[in-house]
Amino acid sequence: MPDMKTYHGQCHCGAVRYTATTDLSSLGDCNCSRCRRLGWVMQSVPASDFRLESGEANLSVYHFSTETIDHLFCKTCGIESFSRGSDGKGNELVMINVNCLEPPVPVDRNGIKHWDGANW
């Protein structure tokens, strides 16, 4: 089992910064209209393992489809470095965009689990 580690993430301009503790063992992507366009590589993190360090006031929310996920993006640079929602059991989750971690982490695209969000 991979080790848990605390990662640092941010938007492009650095106004929004966070830490997330995870093992990066469940990387995924999604083919919904939004994720496909953004090129997200996702990692689900329990909300208790996520901490927004700065930039709360600089976040703007976007909802679409079922309007159950808070897609949060930086008002300055437009980057969505994480989103908030819950799983089917009501557990609060944060989905981090692994492409926004600093320093960048290597991603084996062959190991990514694919979510068919286009047909969900």
Side-chain angles (χ1 to χ4, degrees), residues 36-97:
R36 180 174 46 85
R37 285 173 173 83
L38 292 173
W40 268 71
V41 174
M42 301 178 273
Q43 173 68 39
S44 177
V45 177
S48 60
D49 292 337
F50 176 89
R51 192 172 97 169
L52 183 61
E53 301 285 337
S54 63
E56 180 79 38
N58 213 47
L59 290 171
S60 187
V61 67
Y62 175 70
H63 293 123
F64 76 107
S65 186
T66 62
E67 298 191 12
T68 57
I69 299 171
D70 291 339
H71 294 276
L72 299 158
F73 61 93
C74 174
K75 292 178 187 177
T76 303
C77 66
I79 297 298
E80 181 181 357
S81 56
F82 70 94
S83 62
R84 293 182 179 139
S86 60
D87 65 13
K89 299 175 185 173
N91 298 309
E92 295 297 315
L93 300 173
V94 176
M95 194 66 71
I96 62 170
N97 183 348

Side-chain angles (χ1 to χ4, degrees), residues 3-7 20-23 105:
D3 292 328
M4 298 289 278
K5 181 178 173 186
T6 299
Y7 294 90
T21 303
T22 184
D23 59 15
V105 297

